[in-house]
Amino acid sequence: MQVFKPRSSDTQLLNRSVQTRSRTLDNRLFLVLIGFFLVPIWLFEYLPLQDGPIHIHTADVLHSFLTDSPSIFQDYYVTNLQLAPNWTTQVILTGLMFITSPAIAQKLLLSLYVILLPLAVRYALNGVRPEAPSFLAFLAFPLCYNLTVNMGFFNFACSLVVFLFTLGYWLRHRNRPSQAGLLLLLVLGLYFTHLFSFIIFCLVVGVLILWQGISLLLSSTRQEYPAVLRQLLMKTILPTGIALLPVWLMCLQFLSQNSTGSTGPRWSASMADNLRLGSLITLSSLVSHSWLELVCAIAIGLVLISLTVYSLQKRDSPKLAAKDGLLVVTLVLLGVYLLAPKSLSGSVTIKDRLLLYPVLTLMLWLAAGQYPSAIRRSLTGLLVSISVAMLVIQTTTYGYLNDYWREYTSVAPLIEEQATLLAINLPAPQDSPSAPDLWRPPKFVRPWQINPFINVSGHIAVARKAVLLNNYQANEDYFPVNFRPELNPFEIMSADDWRLLGKKLHVDILDYAAKTGRPVDYVAVWQTADRPREEQEDVFQQLGAAYELIYTSPQRGYARLYRYKAPA
């Protein structure tokens, strides 16, 4: 009996057909997920992101300056036009406010981020290898609503998008000197979005070039060394250096200036304190509000570890090869994460930001691997399931927080327009039965938690065109709007601690009026505890002496509004 075997050409055509159908299905699923991930942004009235309202208020102030609308903003603020990072999202928000409301402008900005981040991951993966496994792109979705997004760090979150597009472009064109001009524009965009991502990009590119040079030398004879190094210099090093040099000059000029920003500790470094191995193991940068997110983050970490082990086991040689530059980069970035201080310039989120970069570069290194169809299909299903689970968690949390944000902002109609507003958020004890049910991460994951209420007052200020005296961005030298020095409440009230991240409260409300001749018109108090702590009593003594209580929220009584009483 004769058995007919398919020809090799027929088998290849069949395999290509299967791969094409699989990619088409993945593409459709990818686009559907992008649409689903937009739901939390548009489903609710508020986006409960910690610093989000302050970004909107700052953009609203800048919009007022650009339209020459006479307002109280001109009395309290001045523009800061130095070439500083952290400008991109403020410029986008301000531009959107010419065509829509501030709240919708924020939603459009976050929508743009959610759409572009998965596309940027896919672009960078294809920069490593044109036929990169499509399932790896689904790793972008668990990253969408990461900790920095829920902290409201718009510039940093958007910088990850620009970082991936810039790195993907460089990977494609690093040996084409003619593309240095476009690379310069991308690097400029990266710098003006966030300084961290610009510096990390330079580090990544430097390590990749160094690894490329070492690999070329190891595969060449001594006689070929000069020609190999000359080619690397002319095709890669010089074009990249020409694109980076102008931006580095701006960066150094900015860093050399005296900071007018946070008066918190500039550098905190204790090796035992800074390692944060628990955060690394649990990928805590993906965790914001719930222990369920922690489970999903650990699952993502296990996927990355499993793929790394699989890729290394399938190698012909245990030695690192020329294509392993991104793995070397990942190891370097992990070293940076481990050695970096837990806080810098008053920020306690340094390591939480740094942790995202080795995750991204490891994803890119995995793009060079070959994976059986069974693994690809299984991981696509697993990653989609994790992504949907994290989306449901975020959506549920946003709905829960919106109820409290509506209560907080209910004070707005009682505030006169063009007034000054100070918001005081009094933290409740951890065991307070009346406080909102917010998840507190275990200390081995992260020693602090998001406080979603500390900047809600930005929405109130936008609604009433009021000056928000606890607008921390106006006290920093890398935002486009600053307080006038003679009216800066952070200097006059000694109020660096007033955001109340578990610290003792120091807000001298009455002293502000005595030193500036301008009283604080309204004070909004958000208090979820049954009674103030002992260290908070001084605030209520000041309010009792010069202010009258004009509103208490009917929902739970958490929000109260005090109005200044002019002396008789």
Side-chain angles (χ1 to χ4, degrees):
M1 181 177 179
Q2 187 176 8
V3 178
F4 293 95
K5 296 182 179 180
R7 292 175 298 180
S8 60
S9 59
D10 293 337
T11 303
Q12 291 175 357
L13 287 174
L14 180 61
N15 290 337
R16 289 177 184 174
S17 177
V18 171
Q19 291 176 3
T20 301
R21 287 199 301 270
S22 178
R23 279 190 171 274
T24 301
L25 180 62
D26 285 351
N27 290 340
R28 291 174 180 173
L29 189 57
F30 191 77
L31 293 175
V32 169
L33 273 182
I34 289 178
F36 281 160
F37 268 71
L38 293 173
V39 170
I41 297 175
W42 296 96
L43 186 60
F44 305 108
E45 180 180 3
Y46 296 110
L47 274 171
L49 313 178
Q50 180 176 289
D51 288 3
I54 297 296
H55 280 281
I56 301 175
H57 175 57
T58 299
D60 189 43
V61 173
L62 189 58
H63 175 263
S64 174
F65 274 81
L66 294 175
T67 55
D68 292 325
S69 303
S71 71
I72 194 174
F73 294 151
Q74 280 81 359
D75 295 338
Y76 281 81
Y77 295 110
V78 292
T79 55
N80 174 24
L81 299 180
Q82 66 170 320
L83 296 176
N86 252 38
W87 269 60
T88 299
T89 60
Q90 298 298 148
V91 170
I92 294 174
L93 281 172
T94 303
L96 289 171
M97 287 180 186
F98 282 95
I99 59 175
T100 188
S101 67
I104 298 299
Q106 182 193 30
K107 290 176 181 285
L108 289 173
L109 174 66
L110 266 293
S111 297
L112 186 66
Y113 158 78
V114 167
I115 292 170
L116 289 181
L117 181 65
L119 295 177
V121 168
R122 199 162 191 174
Y123 177 80
L125 289 170
N126 291 331
V128 176
R129 177 179 157 209
E131 295 298 323
S134 57
F135 75 86
L136 288 172
F138 288 95
L139 284 165
F141 293 101
L143 297 176
C144 271
Y145 292 101
N146 63 66
L147 175 66
T148 64
V149 174
N150 285 304
M151 290 288 290
F153 298 161
F154 291 171
N155 283 295
F156 179 81
C158 291
S159 77
L160 296 178
V161 174
V162 187
F163 171 82
L164 288 165
F165 276 124
T166 307
L167 182 56
Y169 181 84
W170 184 83
L171 290 170
R172 281 173 165 83
H173 304 288
R174 57 179 164 180
N175 295 322
R176 297 173 62 185
S178 60
Q179 302 301 314
L182 185 52
L183 178 62
L184 171 60
L185 293 178
L186 288 169
V187 173
L188 275 171
L190 184 59
Y191 169 77
F192 283 115
T193 305
H194 203 278
L195 185 61
F196 260 36
S197 289
F198 166 70
I199 294 175
I200 294 296
F201 172 79
C202 294
L203 176 61
V204 169
V205 167
V207 173
L208 287 176
I209 291 176
L210 179 61
W211 186 255
Q212 181 182 357
I214 292 173
S215 300
L216 288 173
L217 291 177
L218 291 177
S219 61
S220 306
T221 63
R222 287 184 177 273
Q223 291 76 14
E224 296 172 327
Y225 282 0
V228 167
L229 292 176
R230 189 181 307 112
Q231 184 180 31
L232 180 64
L233 177 65
M234 299 305 295
K235 284 192 172 183
T236 304
I237 297 177
L238 279 180
T240 303
I242 290 172
L244 294 179
L245 180 60
V247 188
W248 262 112
L249 292 176
M250 285 194 300
C251 177
L252 293 174
Q253 186 269 340
F254 168 73
L255 293 175
S256 66
Q257 294 179 343
N258 293 325
S259 173
T260 59
S262 170
T263 58
R266 308 304 295 178
W267 184 275
S268 175
S270 164
M271 183 60 71
D273 205 21
N274 287 339
L275 284 178
R276 292 272 298 273
L277 291 176
S279 299
L280 173 62
I281 295 169
T282 59
L283 289 185
S284 67
S285 298
L286 307 185
V287 182
S288 303
H289 299 296
S290 168
W291 66 268
L292 294 173
E293 290 175 289
L294 181 61
V295 174
C296 294
I298 292 173
I300 292 296
L302 291 175
V303 168
L304 291 172
I305 292 172
S306 300
L307 286 172
T308 301
V309 172
Y310 176 85
S311 298
L312 292 174
Q313 285 182 339
K314 290 296 180 179
R315 305 167 69 98
D316 297 329
S317 170
K319 295 181 180 179
L320 294 177
K323 64 179 182 180
D324 291 323
L326 284 164
L327 180 59
V328 176
V329 165
T330 301
L331 295 175
V332 170
L333 292 178
L334 285 174
V336 171
Y337 167 83
L338 293 173
L339 296 176
K342 69 175 182 178
S343 63
L344 181 64
S345 296
S347 173
V348 296
T349 61
I350 301 302
K351 300 181 84 69
D352 300 285
R353 304 184 202 210
L354 288 175
L355 183 55
L356 292 169
Y357 296 107
V359 172
L360 293 173
T361 55
L362 181 59
M363 288 164 51
L364 298 184
W365 175 74
L366 291 171
Q370 300 287 343
Y371 308 96
S373 59
I375 290 181
R376 296 198 301 268
R377 288 194 300 268
S378 299
L379 286 179
T380 298
L382 177 61
L383 292 174
V384 169
S385 299
I386 295 173
S387 300
V388 171
M390 296 190 80
L391 177 62
V392 170
I393 295 167
Q394 290 294 329
T395 305
T396 304
T397 303
Y398 285 4
Y400 175 78
L401 291 175
N402 258 258
D403 186 34
Y404 288 94
W405 278 41
R406 282 191 295 271
E407 178 175 0
Y408 197 151
T409 57
S410 66
V411 307
L414 286 86
I415 298 175
E416 296 180 12
E417 291 193 354
Q418 308 285 318
T420 54
L421 170 68
L422 173 66
I424 297 177
N425 304 279
L426 302 178
Q430 296 182 23
D431 56 352
S432 174
S434 62
D437 186 17
L438 299 177
W439 180 67
R440 181 174 293 276
K443 287 188 176 182
F444 74 88
V445 175
R446 190 169 62 245
W448 52 271
Q449 69 180 133
I450 292 178
N451 186 339
F453 305 114
I454 60 175
N455 290 314
V456 180
S457 52
H459 280 297
I460 302 171
V462 169
R464 308 309 296 166
K465 299 298 178 184
V467 171
L468 183 61
L469 294 177
N470 46 307
N471 177 3
Y472 75 89
Q473 292 184 354
N475 188 47
E476 305 286 358
D477 56 3
Y478 46 83
F479 284 100
V481 173
N482 291 148
F483 282 118
R484 292 185 180 276
E486 67 274 15
L487 295 174
N488 187 345
F490 286 84
E491 299 293 336
I492 297 171
M493 293 190 195
S494 301
D496 190 55
D497 289 337
W498 67 15
R499 289 184 287 164
L500 306 178
L501 300 177
K503 301 177 182 179
K504 187 174 180 179
L505 178 61
H506 298 287
V507 183
D508 197 339
I509 306 172
L510 303 183
D511 195 44
Y512 188 79
K515 291 182 177 179
T516 65
R518 303 185 183 213
V520 179
D521 297 323
Y522 293 91
V523 177
V525 176
W526 177 258
Q527 180 183 348
T528 57
D530 298 329
R531 60 184 181 84
R533 297 178 182 177
E534 181 178 351
E535 65 267 21
Q536 299 165 358
E537 292 289 352
D538 178 64
V539 171
F540 288 95
Q541 291 176 7
Q542 295 182 63
L543 293 175
Y547 289 81
E548 58 178 334
L549 176 64
I550 62 172
Y551 176 80
T552 301
S553 59
Q555 294 94 327
R556 304 172 188 86
Y558 290 171
R560 282 176 284 172
L561 184 66
Y562 294 81
R563 181 173 57 202
Y564 180 71
K565 296 183 297 186

